[in-house]
Amino acid sequence: MNDCQQVFLAARPEGFPKLKDFGLRKASLREPDADEILVEIEFLSVDPYMRGHMQGGIYRTMKPLEIGDTLYGGAVGRVLRSRSPLVAEGEVVEGYLGWQSHATVRADSVRKIDATLAPISTALGILGMPGMTAYFGMTEVAKPRAGETVVVSAAAGAVGSTAAQIARILGCRVVGIAGGTTKTRHLTEDLRLHAGIDYKAAPDLHEALVAACPDKIDVYFDNVGGDTYDATTRWMNYGFRYIICGSIAEYSSEEAGIGPRHLKRFEVNRARMQGFGVAEYRPRYNEGIAQMAKWLNSGELHYRESISDGLETAPNAFIEMLQGKNTGKQLVRVKTS
Ligand SMILES: NC(=O)c1ccc[n+]([C@@H]2O[C@H](COP(=O)([O-])OP(=O)(O)OC[C@H]3O[C@@H](n4cnc5c(N)ncnc54)[C@H](OP(=O)(O)O)[C@@H]3O)[C@@H](O)[C@H]2O)c1
């Protein structure tokens, strides 16, 4: 019986996660029972939500993570053995397979990937959960109209880069916020946004937004939270939508963030603030993927991946993603040979 390598939760992080919060171990491969498949994982996804998950049960749709559990996470891989009529050996599947080299799971818990559409790693990025977050978050929740001004934070990341480009494709003026000059150049040169703001260098984020958004802001697609709340809501237009996709600036903070302010502006501008989760859209992924694949093939959508090699590098890749070292989707290549 072969071994399976796993990354497990060694300790709940205090503040910013550290390498000692993770452990690496070997376990025996479990052969599939009836209706199960054994998958050899090729890529795994490193996502900000893992930070909350490491803390315990904050997500309604996920089982709370206990100390000693294998890290939960999206992954894509090839089926080595199948005892299900749903999935054949050799097929490529995506699912919450965990931070490990192999997974034995129910065949009906995975999504089959069309490996001819794009490289299979995209099933974790632009044609996967982050891409679907951007697609449904922008087209169904934010619903920007052509000519409106849309601001997106963490705009060089997996969700933000895609959400911002979708708004550009829909005919909006799009301003991205990201950290550093290389990332802000990427926003205008590769993603073709109208302007990019380097929040780390801007002396005053609000003033930078005023300069970049002469017609004020109609939609703020927020991946970050924190200081961006004040900076954007002080420059809202009538009918403003504040879409809460994520709040990464607050995930490792032990202090409570400031509550919503400037509420009078929400009243007079008939503004809306709304959170959403991609989990509810999972049954509609095929629809989103079909549209995104068209935009990818026509060259309207650009994507980047930051890839770290080897399962043992996953904890460091996760920490570095939280520090903003990634551009585009952060992945770990598990099968390196
Ligand atoms: N609602 C949903 O269903 C859903 C689904 C997926 C993801 N999300 C959320 O979407 C957001 C982006 O996720 P992702 O997977 O696409 O990650 P990502 O943007 O690829 O990576 C995270 C990025 O966040 C930025 N960041 C980190 N700390 C920051 C801080 N203190 N202030 C400002 N920016 C900071 C960094 O970019 P810079 O270098 O630019 O700082 C980093 O590259 C996260 O908040 C995540 O929780 C929500």
Side-chain angles (χ1 to χ4, degrees):
M1 180 82 55
N2 288 329
D3 283 333
C4 165
Q5 268 207 319
Q6 301 175 327
V7 177
F8 65 96
L9 181 68
R12 297 213 188 277
E14 287 175 18
F16 209 83
K18 298 170 191 65
L19 288 176
K20 69 174 178 53
D21 301 329
F22 302 86
L24 189 67
R25 68 183 168 209
K26 281 188 175 172
S28 298
L29 277 189
R30 185 170 72 73
E31 286 299 323
D33 288 332
D35 299 322
E36 287 188 329
I37 52 175
L38 170 64
V39 184
E40 184 179 25
I41 293 174
E42 297 198 14
F43 291 93
L44 66 82
S45 178
V46 170
D47 292 279
Y49 74 79
M50 295 295 306
R51 175 64 188 87
H53 204 41
M54 289 172 79
Q55 219 56 50
I58 69 161
Y59 291 108
R60 196 171 49 84
T61 48
M62 296 177 199
K63 183 174 153 296
L65 196 67
E66 304 297 341
I67 304 290
D69 282 353
T70 301
L71 267 288
Y72 183 86
V76 67
R78 217 166 274 276
V79 177
L80 285 185
R81 284 190 274 290
S82 173
R83 291 197 54 204
S84 162
L86 297 178
V87 188
E89 287 172 11
E91 285 197 286
V92 178
V93 295
E94 178 270 340
Y96 286 97
L97 304 174
W99 285 20
Q100 52 189 344
S101 59
H102 299 77
T104 306
V105 294
R106 284 190 59 85
D108 59 8
S109 70
V110 298
R111 174 170 73 94
K112 290 204 237 183
I113 299 307
D114 178 356
T116 63
L117 210 55
I120 64 170
S121 56
T122 59
L124 300 173
I126 192 145
L127 297 182
M129 186 277 281
M132 294 303 99
T133 305
Y135 178 77
F136 289 108
M138 195 52 87
T139 61
E140 300 259 328
V141 188
K143 293 188 178 160
R145 293 179 285 275
E148 287 192 324
T149 298
V150 176
V151 173
V152 180
S153 53
V159 174
S161 61
T162 314
Q165 291 181 89
I166 292 171
R168 191 247 298 140
I169 292 167
L170 296 176
C172 302
R173 174 180 172 76
V174 189
V175 176
I177 306 173
T181 46
T182 307
K183 284 193 184 184
T184 37
R185 220 176 22 248
H186 169 62
L187 299 184
T188 50
E189 290 179 4
D190 305 317
L191 307 184
R192 291 180 282 138
L193 309 188
H194 298 84
I197 296 175
D198 175 0
Y199 74 94
K200 290 183 175 163
D204 182 323
L205 182 58
H206 171 71
E207 289 307 324
L209 284 164
V210 170
C213 306
D215 297 327
K216 294 194 167 178
I217 305 170
D218 297 293
V219 171
Y220 176 39
F221 191 98
D222 185 20
N223 290 307
V224 162
D227 296 343
T228 66
Y229 176 84
D230 272 19
T232 51
T233 55
R234 285 166 58 209
W235 196 235
M236 68 168 74
N237 248 333
Y238 190 86
F240 175 69
R241 283 88 84 202
Y242 191 121
I243 307 301
I244 309 162
C245 177
S247 322
I248 196 167
E250 300 167 23
Y251 293 169
S252 295
S253 168
E254 297 194 319
E255 289 166 25
I258 52 162
R261 309 197 298 186
H262 313 302
L263 295 181
K264 186 73 186 166
R265 289 199 181 94
F266 276 79
E267 178 208 328
V268 298
N269 286 301
R270 308 296 189 265
R272 162 164 75 91
M273 191 167 187
Q274 185 175 345
F276 79 98
V278 70
E280 281 81 72
Y281 294 97
R282 199 156 169 101
R284 291 178 57 193
Y285 268 25
N286 283 347
E287 173 192 334
I289 289 168
Q291 178 59 70
M292 297 280 279
K294 268 191 211 155
W295 283 332
L296 262 184
N297 289 331
S298 67
E300 290 198 80
L301 268 186
H302 171 98
Y303 75 95
R304 280 267 180 102
E305 295 173 333
S306 298
I307 300 181
S308 168
D309 276 311
L311 179 69
E312 68 286 357
T313 67
N316 192 52
F318 174 68
I319 290 169
E320 291 198 341
M321 179 275 298
L322 292 176
Q323 292 167 337
K325 299 220 170 121
N326 62 309
T327 298
K329 176 66 203 161
Q330 180 66 56
L331 297 166
V332 174
R333 195 188 333 258
V334 177
K335 193 179 171 203
T336 51
S337 58

